[in-house]
Amino acid sequence: MKRYVSLFAATLLASPALADRLPIPAGAPPAFKAECGSCHLAFPPALLSADDWRRVMAGLDKHYGDNASLDDKTRRQLEDFLMHNAGSSWKLGSGGGDPPRLTLTSRFQRKHREITPATWKDKRVGSAANCVACHPRAEAGSFSEHEITMPGGRRHERD
Amino acid sequence: MKHLFPMLLIAACGAAQAETPRQVGDNYAAAQGGGFRATASRGADFFARKFNVSEKFPACVTCHTDNPAQPGRHAITGKDIKPLAPVANAERLTDPAKVEKWFKRNCKEVAGRECSAGEKADFIAFLSEAR
């Protein structure tokens, strides 16, 4: 019981820091950035649950309209890495879509509820998965509110 | 002195993996056989050709732009892609496994089929001459 209580406390303490700092976990295989970071940002593993990562990794040949197939050894290595560093499904909600999308988890939608449909459709953004369009330091794992730039160069204003 | 031999060995192994664009292209030309000679202008045509197999990326230039010495942009994700031409990006065409992986992927997506070894040799000749 005591173990659960301290685990719970640790989770609470860790939450604020986790919200805007999502660096790629230490010990990530080099293939993670080389493979999963070549067509888009190497997405932080914590933003999708283990179950959803398994589904993403099971269909790399039909990957959201693209083909991201890997040799079997690399595929398994990356699947292990992603599932070990996955987020918890009760915090994230499941990613809708097939394969599942982290941009459709309820956590992502909640964090981005202020963004208007016009902004999502802006040519410079193009896709919600284009994190770098608004989080210029996303490659370094930083999603801090203070760094956000909205397309057009405007800094994001709270209303 | 005792350490020199292992160090040379390591250096030699490293060199075996990294190749020059020329070597990578020559290997494809040899694989095509029949004394195939790569031609940059055929590679340029291939690069610009509208295959129209995929609605989102009808041609190589959709993501890589029509100038391979310039950075491109992924047609769906919007991510920047570094230039393909070695003149602008010295890492290009030096890792045969990486080159083959992307030919495999991109030819299938764009042309709807694998590229022949000769088409790859032509494409590499084109990129190598791009300025």
Side-chain angles (χ1 to χ4, degrees):
Chain A
M1 184 60 201
K2 201 165 145 211
R3 208 169 128 231
Y4 288 112
V5 173
S6 56
L7 201 73
F8 186 61
T11 312
L12 280 184
L13 282 174
S15 294
L18 274 175
D20 63 354
R21 290 279 316 150
L22 295 162
I24 292 173
F32 179 58
K33 245 194 127 177
E35 298 295 347
C36 306
S38 54
C39 296
H40 46 65
L41 182 76
F43 298 123
L47 292 183
L48 215 49
S49 69
D51 255 10
D52 281 346
W53 278 126
R54 187 183 318 105
R55 288 173 57 206
V56 170
M57 296 305 286
L60 287 178
D61 57 330
K62 295 205 174 58
H63 186 75
Y64 316 91
D66 210 332
N67 175 1
S69 327
L70 294 171
D71 63 85
D72 212 46
K73 190 165 151 252
T74 315
R75 195 198 65 78
R76 227 170 301 153
Q77 180 194 37
L78 293 179
E79 184 179 56
D80 280 355
F81 163 74
L82 288 164
M83 290 181 62
H84 271 110
N85 293 282
S88 61
S89 54
W90 62 268
K91 257 203 218 161
L92 296 169
S94 77
D98 183 26
R101 288 179 179 265
L102 58 91
T103 52
L104 292 180
T105 57
S106 39
R107 183 171 188 276
F108 185 95
Q109 304 254 309
R110 195 166 63 244
K111 293 278 182 191
H112 295 86
R113 65 178 165 238
E114 292 174 28
I115 296 170
T116 62
T119 303
W120 286 129
K121 282 200 209 98
D122 190 288
K123 262 222 199 69
R124 286 158 295 199
V125 178
S127 162
N130 188 7
C131 321
V132 182
C134 306
H135 301 284
R137 297 203 336 110
E139 292 272 0
S142 177
F143 295 91
S144 163
E145 200 187 318
H146 309 293
E147 290 164 357
I148 290 170
T149 51
M150 294 297 254
R154 232 165 1 102
R155 283 189 74 108
H156 170 65
E157 306 280 10
R158 273 176 170 275
D159 39 23
Chain B
M1 186 58 205
K2 221 169 101 191
H3 299 295
L4 193 59
F5 183 65
M7 269 168 63
L8 282 174
L9 206 76
I10 289 166
C13 291
Q17 284 173 345
E19 292 185 10
T20 63
R22 176 87 191 248
Q23 286 167 314
V24 177
D26 286 351
N27 288 343
Y28 282 126
Q32 182 67 27
F36 184 85
R37 291 194 48 198
T39 308
S41 62
R42 277 196 308 251
D45 289 345
F46 185 84
F47 188 57
R49 192 182 311 163
K50 295 258 182 301
F51 291 93
N52 290 322
V53 170
S54 152
E55 202 179 302
K56 287 204 167 114
F57 10 89
C60 307
V61 296
T62 315
C63 291
H64 291 299
T65 80
D66 52 15
N67 179 353
Q70 294 291 322
R73 191 170 193 249
H74 193 287
I76 303 179
T77 66
K79 186 184 197 294
D80 288 339
I81 302 175
K82 291 187 193 142
L84 280 187
V87 67
N89 179 359
E91 279 175 30
R92 290 300 185 201
L93 311 179
T94 56
D95 176 348
K98 182 176 178 193
V99 173
E100 179 56 23
K101 181 184 74 187
W102 285 101
F103 270 134
K104 214 172 190 166
R105 242 179 219 161
N106 290 336
C107 289
K108 225 162 157 202
E109 295 296 295
V110 176
R113 57 169 173 85
E114 303 232 346
C115 293
S116 69
E119 283 172 323
K120 295 175 195 171
D122 286 342
F123 191 71
I124 285 173
F126 160 64
L127 292 184
S128 304
E129 283 180 17
R131 287 295 171 266

